[in-house]
Amino acid sequence: MTDDEANPIFERGDVVYGDDPFKGETDARPWLILSNHEGRPFHGEQYIALTLTSKSWMEGLIDIPEESWLRGGTPDESRIVPWGVQSIGHEDIDFWQGRLAAEIVDTATTALVDELR
């Protein structure tokens, strides 16, 4: 995330908390930012993200080890849902929650691509 608190731009690996379009306007959840490439359309305005969940019973979820959190974290143990991809707008993000290590972000990205094949 950029240091500009008035207008932050989230980066690959940031975990943000914001609206869940699958559940309606009053529900929100954590999201892992996968893509926000400078020079691409809507840089800093729209993000490709994967959802996080505290559920553990579904197969294919990616556990987030404590050491993968570089900063911040989630109140409950969370996992990445590689098939839970969404394009979220900057206005839908309530706050920055943390940052994950590049290795787990790469694992999540690979899992998403595998889901699409």
Side-chain angles (χ1 to χ4, degrees), residues 36-47:
N36 179 35
H37 297 97
E38 194 166 354
R40 296 248 175 109
F42 308 109
H43 171 72
E45 297 175 29
Q46 191 173 13
Y47 305 91

mmCIF file of all heavy atoms in Angstrom, residues 36-47:
data_model
loop_
_atom_site.group_PDB
_atom_site.id
_atom_site.type_symbol
_atom_site.label_atom_id
_atom_site.label_comp_id
_atom_site.label_asym_id
_atom_site.label_seq_id
_atom_site.Cartn_x
_atom_site.Cartn_y
_atom_site.Cartn_z
ATOM 1 N N ASN A 36 -2.603 -5.249 -9.446
ATOM 2 C CA ASN A 36 -2.773 -3.809 -9.514
ATOM 3 C C ASN A 36 -1.540 -3.258 -10.207
ATOM 4 O O ASN A 36 -0.665 -2.680 -9.587
ATOM 5 C CB ASN A 36 -2.930 -3.198 -8.124
ATOM 6 C CG ASN A 36 -3.090 -1.697 -8.214
ATOM 7 O OD1 ASN A 36 -3.692 -1.200 -9.155
ATOM 8 N ND2 ASN A 36 -2.542 -0.982 -7.269
ATOM 9 N N HIS A 37 -1.431 -3.499 -11.481
ATOM 10 C CA HIS A 37 -0.225 -3.141 -12.220
ATOM 11 C C HIS A 37 -0.279 -1.699 -12.696
ATOM 12 O O HIS A 37 -1.219 -1.297 -13.381
ATOM 13 C CB HIS A 37 -0.044 -4.074 -13.425
ATOM 14 C CG HIS A 37 0.154 -5.494 -13.025
ATOM 15 N ND1 HIS A 37 -0.872 -6.400 -13.012
ATOM 16 C CD2 HIS A 37 1.251 -6.148 -12.588
ATOM 17 C CE1 HIS A 37 -0.411 -7.571 -12.607
ATOM 18 N NE2 HIS A 37 0.871 -7.443 -12.345
ATOM 19 N N GLU A 38 0.750 -0.951 -12.327
ATOM 20 C CA GLU A 38 0.853 0.425 -12.793
ATOM 21 C C GLU A 38 0.943 0.418 -14.311
ATOM 22 O O GLU A 38 1.583 -0.433 -14.908
ATOM 23 C CB GLU A 38 2.087 1.083 -12.184
ATOM 24 C CG GLU A 38 2.079 2.582 -12.358
ATOM 25 C CD GLU A 38 3.098 3.271 -11.480
ATOM 26 O OE1 GLU A 38 3.739 2.597 -10.658
ATOM 27 O OE2 GLU A 38 3.237 4.480 -11.636
ATOM 28 N N GLY A 39 0.266 1.349 -14.924
ATOM 29 C CA GLY A 39 0.253 1.432 -16.374
ATOM 30 C C GLY A 39 -0.925 0.729 -17.008
ATOM 31 O O GLY A 39 -1.221 0.932 -18.179
ATOM 32 N N ARG A 40 -1.617 -0.101 -16.239
ATOM 33 C CA ARG A 40 -2.815 -0.778 -16.754
ATOM 34 C C ARG A 40 -4.034 0.106 -16.492
ATOM 35 O O ARG A 40 -4.021 0.952 -15.587
ATOM 36 C CB ARG A 40 -3.016 -2.124 -16.052
ATOM 37 C CG ARG A 40 -1.903 -3.105 -16.307
ATOM 38 C CD ARG A 40 -2.389 -4.264 -17.144
ATOM 39 N NE ARG A 40 -1.303 -5.146 -17.498
ATOM 40 C CZ ARG A 40 -1.141 -6.350 -16.996
ATOM 41 N NH1 ARG A 40 -1.977 -6.809 -16.091
ATOM 42 N NH2 ARG A 40 -0.147 -7.100 -17.411
ATOM 43 N N PRO A 41 -5.098 -0.083 -17.247
ATOM 44 C CA PRO A 41 -6.310 0.711 -16.989
ATOM 45 C C PRO A 41 -6.802 0.521 -15.547
ATOM 46 O O PRO A 41 -6.706 -0.573 -14.994
ATOM 47 C CB PRO A 41 -7.330 0.129 -17.981
ATOM 48 C CG PRO A 41 -6.505 -0.508 -19.052
ATOM 49 C CD PRO A 41 -5.244 -0.989 -18.370
ATOM 50 N N PHE A 42 -7.266 1.586 -14.966
ATOM 51 C CA PHE A 42 -7.875 1.608 -13.633
ATOM 52 C C PHE A 42 -6.891 1.323 -12.500
ATOM 53 O O PHE A 42 -7.280 0.870 -11.439
ATOM 54 C CB PHE A 42 -9.077 0.656 -13.558
ATOM 55 C CG PHE A 42 -10.072 0.878 -14.658
ATOM 56 C CD1 PHE A 42 -10.209 -0.036 -15.680
ATOM 57 C CD2 PHE A 42 -10.834 2.029 -14.686
ATOM 58 C CE1 PHE A 42 -11.116 0.182 -16.707
ATOM 59 C CE2 PHE A 42 -11.739 2.256 -15.712
ATOM 60 C CZ PHE A 42 -11.883 1.338 -16.728
ATOM 61 N N HIS A 43 -5.597 1.598 -12.736
ATOM 62 C CA HIS A 43 -4.593 1.432 -11.677
ATOM 63 C C HIS A 43 -5.015 2.244 -10.455
ATOM 64 O O HIS A 43 -5.304 3.424 -10.538
ATOM 65 C CB HIS A 43 -3.225 1.892 -12.172
ATOM 66 C CG HIS A 43 -2.184 1.951 -11.102
ATOM 67 N ND1 HIS A 43 -1.643 0.810 -10.547
ATOM 68 C CD2 HIS A 43 -1.607 2.986 -10.460
ATOM 69 C CE1 HIS A 43 -0.769 1.147 -9.626
ATOM 70 N NE2 HIS A 43 -0.726 2.464 -9.550
ATOM 71 N N GLY A 44 -5.073 1.580 -9.306
ATOM 72 C CA GLY A 44 -5.446 2.249 -8.065
ATOM 73 C C GLY A 44 -6.938 2.463 -7.886
ATOM 74 O O GLY A 44 -7.377 2.958 -6.854
ATOM 75 N N GLU A 45 -7.736 2.078 -8.875
ATOM 76 C CA GLU A 45 -9.188 2.233 -8.796
ATOM 77 C C GLU A 45 -9.918 0.898 -8.759
ATOM 78 O O GLU A 45 -11.019 0.804 -8.234
ATOM 79 C CB GLU A 45 -9.701 3.043 -9.990
ATOM 80 C CG GLU A 45 -9.181 4.455 -10.040
ATOM 81 C CD GLU A 45 -9.619 5.168 -11.301
ATOM 82 O OE1 GLU A 45 -10.691 4.834 -11.841
ATOM 83 O OE2 GLU A 45 -8.870 6.043 -11.771
ATOM 84 N N GLN A 46 -9.313 -0.126 -9.348
ATOM 85 C CA GLN A 46 -9.947 -1.440 -9.447
ATOM 86 C C GLN A 46 -8.879 -2.511 -9.266
ATOM 87 O O GLN A 46 -7.769 -2.375 -9.777
ATOM 88 C CB GLN A 46 -10.617 -1.572 -10.809
ATOM 89 C CG GLN A 46 -11.510 -2.754 -10.955
ATOM 90 C CD GLN A 46 -12.260 -2.699 -12.277
ATOM 91 O OE1 GLN A 46 -11.944 -1.920 -13.172
ATOM 92 N NE2 GLN A 46 -13.254 -3.541 -12.413
ATOM 93 N N TYR A 47 -9.223 -3.564 -8.540
ATOM 94 C CA TYR A 47 -8.255 -4.595 -8.181
ATOM 95 C C TYR A 47 -8.821 -5.978 -8.465
ATOM 96 O O TYR A 47 -9.999 -6.230 -8.222
ATOM 97 C CB TYR A 47 -7.925 -4.520 -6.689
ATOM 98 C CG TYR A 47 -7.453 -3.163 -6.234
ATOM 99 C CD1 TYR A 47 -8.349 -2.208 -5.771
ATOM 100 C CD2 TYR A 47 -6.104 -2.839 -6.276
ATOM 101 C CE1 TYR A 47 -7.911 -0.957 -5.356
ATOM 102 C CE2 TYR A 47 -5.652 -1.603 -5.853
ATOM 103 C CZ TYR A 47 -6.567 -0.661 -5.403
ATOM 104 O OH TYR A 47 -6.117 0.564 -4.991
#
